[in-house]
Amino acid sequence: MQPAAEVIGIDHVYLTVSSVEQSERFYDRVLKDALGFRKNTFALGGDPHVQYYNRLFGIVLRPARSAAPHDRYAPGLHHLCLRVAEEGDVRHAAEALVACGIDVSPPRLYPEYAPDYWAVFVDDPDGLRLEITNFRAERKQRMEHWDP
């Protein structure tokens, strides 16, 4: 059966945060300063929103309406993984994050995930895990040789 339309990527992701101000300071360093995203702000339903975007997609911060902390193992978002081109870019991203004062895991190979899986991890102020990984061979193969 043919799909009604081919999904070609993620357009945006909304992250609900306990403090827009605190999260904005964190994501300014991670997304804007270290990873080169652009930023704007807007209000939606009277709530302040902060949008970070690059040429491919956006990440938006919005205020929480509940004080419950983020639990990676409860139903919902476990982590957000950003892809960079190569293993060296994972290292460069980690260096840029450290230079911005962000605590980040050391870049390393995770062969238990894939033979060429390089990644770093960082947790935001609410405990949401962010990952940066390289564009691995399996993913490239899938993208370049997709058989609809």
Side-chain angles (χ1 to χ4, degrees), residues 58-107:
I59 298 173
V60 180
L61 307 179
R62 66 167 297 126
R65 293 186 178 163
S66 164
H70 180 74
D71 178 354
R72 249 181 250 138
Y73 293 95
L77 183 65
H78 183 274
H79 72 279
L80 177 62
C81 183
L82 304 175
R83 180 191 293 160
V84 295
E86 300 175 358
E87 176 254 325
D89 296 320
V90 174
R91 293 179 185 278
H92 294 309
E95 292 166 2
L97 290 166
V98 168
C100 291
I102 300 295
D103 290 327
V104 62
S105 69

Side-chain angles (χ1 to χ4, degrees), residues 7-142:
V7 175
I8 59 171
I10 293 174
D11 187 76
H12 62 272
V13 175
Y14 269 60
L15 303 178
T16 304
V17 299
S18 61
S19 167
V20 172
E21 296 79 15
Q22 181 182 22
S23 292
E24 182 177 7
R25 287 190 301 273
F26 175 83
Y27 283 100
D28 275 359
R29 292 183 293 157
V30 171
L31 296 175
K32 196 166 80 56
D33 299 343
L35 299 177
F37 279 62
R38 296 178 184 176
K39 173 185 167 183
N40 66 20
T41 59
F42 61 95
L44 187 60
D47 291 328
H49 287 60
V50 180
Q51 176 177 241
Y52 298 90
Y53 59 95
N54 65 15
R55 67 186 187 92
L56 300 172
F57 69 97
I59 298 173
V60 180
L61 307 179
R62 66 167 297 126
R65 293 186 178 163
S66 164
H70 180 74
D71 178 354
R72 249 181 250 138
Y73 293 95
L77 183 65
H78 183 274
H79 72 279
L80 177 62
C81 183
L82 304 175
R83 180 191 293 160
V84 295
E86 300 175 358
E87 176 254 325
D89 296 320
V90 174
R91 293 179 185 278
H92 294 309
E95 292 166 2
L97 290 166
V98 168
C100 291
I102 300 295
D103 290 327
V104 62
S105 69
R108 76 171 183 88
L109 179 65
Y110 289 85
E112 62 270 31
Y113 301 149
D116 59 343
Y117 196 116
W118 281 84
V120 296
F121 299 90
V122 60
D123 292 339
D124 85 353
D126 288 307
L128 175 64
R129 171 137 307 166
L130 302 175
E131 175 184 355
I132 300 172
T133 190
N134 59 307
F135 195 11
R136 297 177 311 283
E138 177 222 353
R139 299 284 201 258
K140 287 180 189 175
Q141 172 74 14
R142 183 185 303 157

